[in-house]
Amino acid sequence: MVTERNTFATSAYIATTPETAYEYLCSLKNLDEWTLYSRMREQIDEDTWVGTASGYQTPLYYHVKRLDHPQFYGIEWHCGLEYQKYYQVYPVLLFPANYIEPGTDEKGVYLHWISFVDPKRRSPLIMEGIHTVHTSECRSLKGNLERKAGLKAAAQGRYYVDSSTMYVNAPVELAVEFLSDLRNMDDWAHLLHADGEIAGSTSGEFRDEYDQKVKVTLRIQQVNKWYLVEHEFFYPDYGFYQRCPLLLMPTAHVFQDPQAPGFILHQIAFWKVGEQLPHGKLQIEDFGSEQLNIKRLLEGKAGNLSTLAQGLSYMPDAK
């Protein structure tokens, strides 16, 4: 896993319906049941409460925003020390099993929870403790929802969720324009090469590193303040399918800092438990290396030639 230092992600398979998980997460009062110590004390408006928090000795405001996508549910939690002044953004995406594997008979939902912490505002405790607390809270959330579904032990999903994250010092609009055209894939995807001329911008035929045929389709959609890029890879000779969501999240939004340039590139990958895939991306490093290529190319296009050498993370003082 490649992790931008201001970002933390955790995931879980939950044996409940996507609709049930979504409605549960939309109600902030339910944080009382599964978090370490986020306890809602007073409701401020329909989507906002003030309460205690695990990482603060002072009250924290909690706000929930619903995300709209035709194939999965999602929310964002926003938190801050003052009402309507939120500086922590936590997107949570709920992928049905058939999003990962179309036609599967597996029920349940794959939850992916991303935490962004503004480096200008965070305390040392937040990033030191976030792995321990959020990983355990994610397990608690799974347990509470599965108990309500009648289970007495943790259910095992067929997949596990992985991610790779890095910062890109370029306008997100430039990324949307560049990644919206599959004809640019030859420039950044070293494991795929165009099989002849790519006629369209959203679909085309490629060859992989074993010279196998791959049909690639692309869909891009704005979700709240960020963008979702979905690449779908289909191997017609083997009936193999792989879907790879990529999030383009403006730094100004996820860190709630209008002066923060660029965006966070967050790749989500799904791997079958105990199984080595025969085709497609085989490891998270395959995605991470492509992200690095995208970062290099876009920062070059934006004229920001010095930030690549500074690493994969956002630094407020970087020039």
Side-chain angles (χ1 to χ4, degrees), residues 7 75 120 145 212 268 271 281:
T7 306
I75 66 164
K120 290 183 179 180
L145 281 168
Q212 300 301 300
I268 303 173
W271 310 111
K281 302 296 189 299

Side-chain angles (χ1 to χ4, degrees), residues 25 42 62-63 74-75 79 83 104 106 129 134 154 157 163 171 176 182 184 188 198 205 230 235 262 280 300 318:
L25 291 173
E42 179 185 356
Y62 298 82
H63 178 75
I75 66 164
C79 301
Y83 179 51
T104 183
E106 183 180 37
H134 280 200
S163 62
V176 171
L182 276 184
N184 293 325
W188 57 265
I198 304 299
E205 295 188 356
E230 295 171 287
Y235 284 70

Side-chain angles (χ1 to χ4, degrees), residues 280-300:
K281 302 296 189 299
L282 306 182
Q283 56 195 5
I284 196 64
E285 290 81 5
D286 293 341
F287 291 108
S289 60
E290 289 184 344
Q291 286 178 285
L292 181 58
N293 228 2
I294 292 169
K295 173 180 171 66
R296 180 183 60 83
L297 291 166
L298 291 177
E299 289 181 347

Side-chain angles (χ1 to χ4, degrees), residues 4 35 107 115 143 147 153 160 169 199 238 271 283 297 319:
E4 193 275 338
T35 62
K107 309 301 180 184
S115 305
R147 184 192 72 248
Y160 69 92
N169 188 12
Y238 303 96
W271 310 111
Q283 56 195 5
L297 291 166
K319 303 299 182 184

Side-chain angles (χ1 to χ4, degrees), residues 134-272:
H134 280 200
T135 301
S136 183
E137 287 182 334
C138 192
R139 177 205 178 283
S140 176
L141 173 61
K142 170 182 170 68
N144 274 272
L145 281 168
E146 290 185 342
R147 184 192 72 248
K148 293 175 186 294
L151 277 70
K152 298 185 182 299
Q156 175 69 58
R158 296 177 187 172
Y159 288 83
Y160 69 92
V161 187
D162 206 350
S163 62
S164 175
T165 312
M166 62 185 63
Y167 167 68
V168 181
N169 188 12
V172 71
E173 295 80 9
L174 183 63
V176 171
E177 179 184 3
F178 181 69
L179 294 173
S180 292
D181 194 336
L182 276 184
R183 289 168 291 192
N184 293 325
M185 183 173 277
D186 261 352
D187 289 338
W188 57 265
H190 64 296
L191 295 175
L192 287 174
H193 302 284
D195 190 10
E197 183 178 354
I198 304 299
S201 61
T202 59
S203 64
E205 295 188 356
F206 291 77
R207 294 274 179 168
D208 74 358
E209 68 274 25
Y210 290 95
D211 200 36
Q212 300 301 300
K213 294 180 182 179
V214 189
K215 293 185 177 180
V216 182
T217 57
L218 167 71
R219 179 169 57 246
I220 188 164
Q221 177 183 356
Q222 186 166 4
V223 182
N224 191 18
K225 302 290 186 180
W226 45 272
Y227 296 85
L228 179 73
V229 181
E230 295 171 287
H231 289 105
E232 299 178 359
F233 304 99
F234 179 66
Y235 284 70
D237 293 339
Y238 303 96
F240 177 79
Y241 173 91
Q242 189 175 45
R243 174 177 277 166
C244 309
L246 178 66
L247 282 58
L248 313 176
M249 312 191 84
T251 318
H253 171 63
V254 298
F255 297 141
Q256 291 295 289
D257 178 2
Q259 303 304 314
F263 64 96
I264 299 295
L265 191 64
H266 184 77
Q267 178 76 61
I268 303 173
F270 307 101
W271 310 111
K272 274 199 171 181

